[in-house]
Amino acid sequence: LANPIAADLSDMRPSLLPGLAMAARRNGDRGIGDVALFEVGQIFKGAHPADQKTAAAGLRRGTAGLMGAGRAWTGAAKAVDVFDAKADALAALDAMGGPADRVQITADAPYWYHPGRSGTLRLGPVVLGHFGELHPEILELLDMDGPVAVFELILDAVPAQKAKATKSKPPLELSGLMPVKRDFAF
């Protein structure tokens, strides 16, 4: 950008995950290590308008699992893992009316995901998004500890929901004008 609002915001973001990871790190630095965050926004894969996409991303850190955050009374709390990220991605896809039941999962996630603990959501050849744990080297660069489970969906790639046939009548639309029975012109 020619005139960024901050020195570290001089480039358009190609992913929502770095912002979420930095927010989770700031929370961890303040003593809140169990966080679950999400964001919906624009990402930019290039300089052209067609390269702008809408994405939804989520992050879980610590023990912020599907059943809530915090330690268990037994003292053994389960840390987040790839299955939490997968469940979040599929739930988000289902909530937006996407084909969560027909999606295929492949193991070709980008390099910032942990190999063997990540996946790509596909609908045929179309990539809908990625999920998994962040790579340990990325966590080391961000000065974060523990597993961090993330997902990112490209909302523009999700097919539109098909309209279902209905037998109900459409809503009644009344005109604000009086009906005309006869029209006289002299």
Side-chain angles (χ1 to χ4, degrees):
L1 298 174
N3 189 14
I5 59 173
D8 60 337
L9 299 175
S10 62
D11 296 322
M12 301 301 276
R13 60 185 179 180
S15 175
L16 300 175
L17 296 178
L20 288 175
M22 296 306 292
R25 188 184 88 189
R26 284 191 302 271
N27 277 298
D29 291 346
R30 288 168 177 77
I32 305 168
D34 301 332
V35 294
L37 305 170
F38 76 95
E39 181 180 1
V40 176
Q42 303 298 320
I43 59 172
F44 304 89
K45 299 293 184 182
H48 303 291
D51 297 332
Q52 178 179 344
K53 306 286 183 198
T54 304
L59 175 143
R60 289 186 188 272
R61 181 180 181 201
T63 60
L66 298 175
M67 303 308 292
R71 303 279 180 221
W73 66 271
T74 59
K78 178 191 162 299
V80 295
D81 58 6
V82 63
F83 299 109
D84 293 323
K86 178 183 173 186
D88 286 343
L90 292 176
L93 190 61
D94 187 47
M96 69 179 79
D101 56 338
R102 295 184 294 133
V103 73
Q104 298 134 358
I105 299 173
T106 60
D108 56 343
Y111 67 91
W112 55 86
Y113 287 95
H114 194 295
R117 295 184 189 174
S118 59
T120 298
L121 300 171
R122 295 181 180 272
L123 191 60
V126 179
V127 174
L128 300 178
H130 309 284
F131 68 91
E133 295 178 21
L134 286 180
H135 198 285
E137 292 176 0
I138 301 295
L139 291 176
E140 185 177 330
L141 287 173
L142 294 173
D143 195 26
M144 295 175 69
D145 57 346
V148 176
V150 296
F151 75 91
E152 187 170 34
L153 296 175
I154 308 301
L155 302 184
D156 297 331
V158 177
Q161 208 174 13
K162 293 182 181 178
K164 296 180 182 177
T166 179
K167 293 183 181 184
S168 64
K169 293 182 180 180
L172 179 63
E173 294 182 24
L174 294 176
S175 173
L177 305 173
M178 295 291 294
V180 176
K181 301 288 183 191
R182 283 193 180 148
D183 185 16
F184 294 103
F186 296 100

